[in-house]
Each structure stands twice: as structure tokens, then as C-alpha cells.
Amino acid sequence: MTDPGGAAAAGLAVSAPASRSGGAGRVVPLRIGIVGGGFMARVHAGAARSAGAEVVALASSSPASAARAAGDLGVGTAHESVDDLVHDPRVDVVHVCSPNATHAPVALAALAAGKHVVCEKPLATSTGEAEAMVEAAAANGLVGAVPFVYRYHPMVREARARVAAGEAGRVLSIRGSYLQDWLLERDDVDWRVDSAAGGPSRAFADIGSHLVDLIEFVAGDPLARLTSTTNRVHADRGGSRVDTEDEAAVVFETVGGAIGTLFVSQVAPGRKNRLLLDVSGTAESLEFSQEEPETLWVGRRSGTRLVPRDTARLSPDAARLSTVPAGHPMGYVDAFAGFVRDAHDAVRGGAPEGLPTFADGLRAARVTEAVLDSAASRSWVDVT
């Protein structure tokens, strides 16, 4: 992939794209440029189109790769380099879907060119890079958003609303897990396994970041300190040494005094994408499972019940994200579309509730760094 770092370092002139109007109050669709050509590029393209945007350009690791991906996704322009894409005057928002190690240089170049940015998680492979991205977005007056999309399940918003309203009582404990099996076998290989492309953390940075964001978002209470251990199941994959973790287990305390555990694994047989969050308060417990997103389990001493995704019974924020009537299942694709709608609303000057920004991506990077530090030192570590 063309390294755009030089463009950012050169201090390119910045002019944030203004909201475009088609006259008579008609809003012209935002124009999207995508960096990357894999699965996440496909997800971002679909979500952007669902939000009413136009995907006008794509760049990838090579001109040939960009051409293939653009053809597959129906994108009209395949740029020969990332630098060409971030300087394309037609592009209003750059969606960064490339390998983790490229997130910071690509996003910084896009911000320097005056583009709003939606950047995949982990936001960066170090807290220093993540801090630079937060600062660049703020300095240039641009939107920087990170797709922590599990926030956009309506029943997650319902759980958050119940905690915020005090219906759960004082939060006592939190349990979270995120389990997958796609890297179970020694022959299972992906660019994320290599720290040069994916960063020093794999399982926790990749899926643990989602889980930590969800815990803090729902509980409204950040992690204060933690202790952790990690596990590497295979010393090598596909003939190459492995230097990133397959699993991570964490015990934590929050600022508000709750205690909790979280566990992430990419080697759990039969678990495809099982994200589970359980919050216990003095009045009730709440459990959300990403693989069963249409309901929220609510437990009280007097009994338990399943709260369905029915707008007539939900909090306003949960109802806002319910885009189809009850009984018509919503899932991951709908949550992603909801996130992109809010990100694009912010680009137009809105202030959507709960939009995950670069600051949230930096927060996840800091927690990830604390998890690695604790696992290495076998000690408790304070989270900044």
C-alpha cells in the first residue's frame, strides 16, 4: 500500500468539506472513498449506501487489488494509490478498512487533506498513534468515528438506558465474553496473526476492544485497574512464528467500584461470534447476547423475563435505532448501518447520541495496552 505518511507530514492545506445542498432543501448524498478491499470494505460500502451515501472511489494495497475490489463492490473509481484517494476532490469521507498497522498513516493523511474519517478498530496499534489521530481530527475540525457497532443494537441501548435510569440499581458486577473459533487450527492464517500488520495485540485488540467499549458504554463506568493473562495456542501458523495472543482473560475494577471479568478467545470451538454482556445491579441483572440481538434478558429476585425489541416498550434511544417493526429480525448489518448513519449525520453537523469517536478508539487502545502490560508483568495495572 502506498504510504501516505509523507503527505500528512508535509502539512497539506486543510479544507473540511462543507455540507452540500442540492437546492430547495435537498441534501446531496455524501461521497465515500474506501481504503481496503476485504470483508470490512464490503460491509462499509453496504452500510454507507444504506445511509444514503455514494461510494465513489476505492484504493487498496495495489492497483490490481483496488481494481478487483472496486469491480466486486460496484465502485466506479479504483485509485492506484491511497494518496490519490485521500486527495480526490470528490471524496467527502474516507472509510479506512485496511490492516491495523496502516490505520494511523492513512487516517492522518486523510485528515490532513480535509476529509472526515471513519476508521476501523483498533484505531491504531499504539496509544501514541491513537492520540495523534484524536488530536488531528480535533485540530482540523473533522469527524473521526470508530465502528464499535455493537453499541447500535437497539437492545444494547435499552440496557444502557435502564442502567442510566437507575432501574438496575447500583452496578455491582460485570461479566463479558467474546468468543470465536476462526483461528482454532494451526493452519488457520490471517494477516492479523502477524504483529507487523496487526499490531502487538491480536485477540484483545480485535474483539476485546469491542467488549471493553460495550462494557463502559452500557455501565457508564470506566475501568480503573485490571490484571490479565494471555494465551497463545499455536507457536507457529503456516510455517511462521506467532507473536500475538489467541486468548485473554481479565479481572477488573471500575471507577465506580464494580468488579468484573472479561474473556476473549479466537480459538473457542463452535463459537462463531458470541459476544455476551451481563451486568448485575442491586435491583436487577441485564444480559445481552449479540447472537440473539432481538431480546434483553432482565432478572430480578422476583423472576426473570425477556424484553423484546418492540418500540412501544423501549427507551427513546433504543426505539430510534429500531428501523423495522418488531418481529422483523435485526442484526449486525443493521447495527453497522445505524453507526454509519450517525457518523454521516455528525459529518453534516449533527450530534447523534452515542456515536463512537476517535476518543473512544484511543480509550480502547489504552485498555489494550494495560492488558498487555499486566500480562507481561503479572501484576495489577491502572488504566489511564
Side-chain angles (χ1 to χ4, degrees):
M1 177 176 292
T2 299
D3 179 6
L12 297 173
V14 175
S15 57
S19 297
R20 298 182 297 131
S21 174
R26 185 173 66 87
V27 176
V28 176
L30 291 174
R31 298 164 301 186
I32 309 305
I34 294 178
V35 177
F39 168 71
M40 291 315 303
R42 182 177 298 277
V43 173
H44 278 250
R49 286 165 174 154
S50 175
E54 296 177 358
V55 183
V56 299
L58 184 145
S60 190
S61 55
S62 69
S65 175
R68 283 194 300 271
D72 290 343
L73 299 179
V75 180
T77 299
H79 281 296
E80 292 193 356
S81 71
V82 173
D83 199 55
D84 288 343
L85 183 138
V86 300
H87 292 99
D88 186 337
R90 299 172 304 153
V91 172
D92 300 315
V93 187
V94 175
H95 285 236
V96 183
C97 310
S98 50
N100 301 347
T102 69
H103 288 180
V106 172
L108 289 171
L111 291 167
K115 312 296 187 184
H116 302 276
V117 177
V118 174
C119 183
E120 262 301 326
K121 51 81 212 160
L123 182 61
T125 57
S126 72
T127 55
E129 287 181 327
E131 287 168 354
M133 295 165 74
V134 171
E135 292 167 2
N140 295 328
L142 297 167
V143 171
V146 183
F148 287 131
V149 298
Y150 298 120
R151 291 186 179 195
Y152 280 82
H153 284 298
M155 303 315 292
V156 164
R157 297 296 177 110
E158 181 65 15
R160 181 177 185 243
R162 294 181 74 92
V163 171
E167 294 183 50
R170 178 169 63 89
V171 174
L172 303 175
S173 61
I174 304 167
R175 288 154 298 284
S177 62
Y178 199 161
L179 310 178
Q180 300 174 335
D181 70 357
W182 68 288
L183 288 171
L184 177 63
E185 306 295 341
R186 186 183 298 274
D187 293 335
D188 294 329
V189 178
D190 183 82
W191 60 261
R192 292 171 179 82
V193 172
D194 181 8
S195 62
S201 171
R202 182 192 356 122
F204 198 87
D206 187 29
I207 58 177
S209 58
H210 272 301
L211 187 55
V212 167
D213 179 77
L214 202 62
I215 287 171
E216 296 189 339
F217 182 69
V218 170
D221 187 11
L223 276 60
R225 58 197 301 260
L226 59 82
T227 184
S228 67
T229 186
T230 60
N231 185 32
R232 186 180 305 139
V233 175
H234 302 297
D236 63 87
R237 290 177 181 270
S240 299
R241 298 290 294 178
V242 175
D243 58 358
T244 53
E245 80 282 357
D246 292 302
E247 300 179 305
V250 180
V251 177
F252 63 85
E253 298 174 358
T254 71
V255 171
I259 60 174
T261 62
L262 60 89
F263 181 72
V264 299
S265 175
Q266 294 178 319
V267 290
R271 298 300 190 183
K272 302 308 176 184
N273 201 46
R274 186 181 185 273
L275 181 152
L276 186 73
L277 176 63
D278 188 338
V279 178
S280 293
T282 53
E284 67 183 20
S285 295
L286 305 167
E287 182 182 281
F288 172 79
S289 172
Q290 198 274 152
E291 291 185 341
E292 298 172 331
E294 288 288 278
T295 57
L296 178 69
W297 183 88
V298 178
R300 288 180 170 262
R301 192 166 186 181
S302 57
T304 66
R305 64 191 177 101
L306 287 178
V307 176
R309 185 188 57 77
D310 182 348
T311 56
R313 304 172 61 182
L314 299 181
S315 64
D317 197 30
R320 174 181 76 91
L321 297 173
S322 295
T323 55
V324 295
H328 299 73
M330 292 180 63
Y332 172 78
V333 171
D334 303 287
F336 216 107
F339 158 73
V340 172
R341 280 195 302 273
D342 272 8
H344 291 182
D345 177 33
V347 168
R348 296 190 184 280
E353 168 65 23
L355 175 68
T357 67
F358 277 10
D360 298 298
L362 170 59
R363 172 65 182 172
R366 286 177 172 154
V367 175
T368 299
E369 189 172 85
V371 168
L372 294 185
D373 288 348
S374 175
S377 64
R378 297 290 180 177
S379 64
W380 282 85
V381 172
D382 290 336
V383 182
T384 304

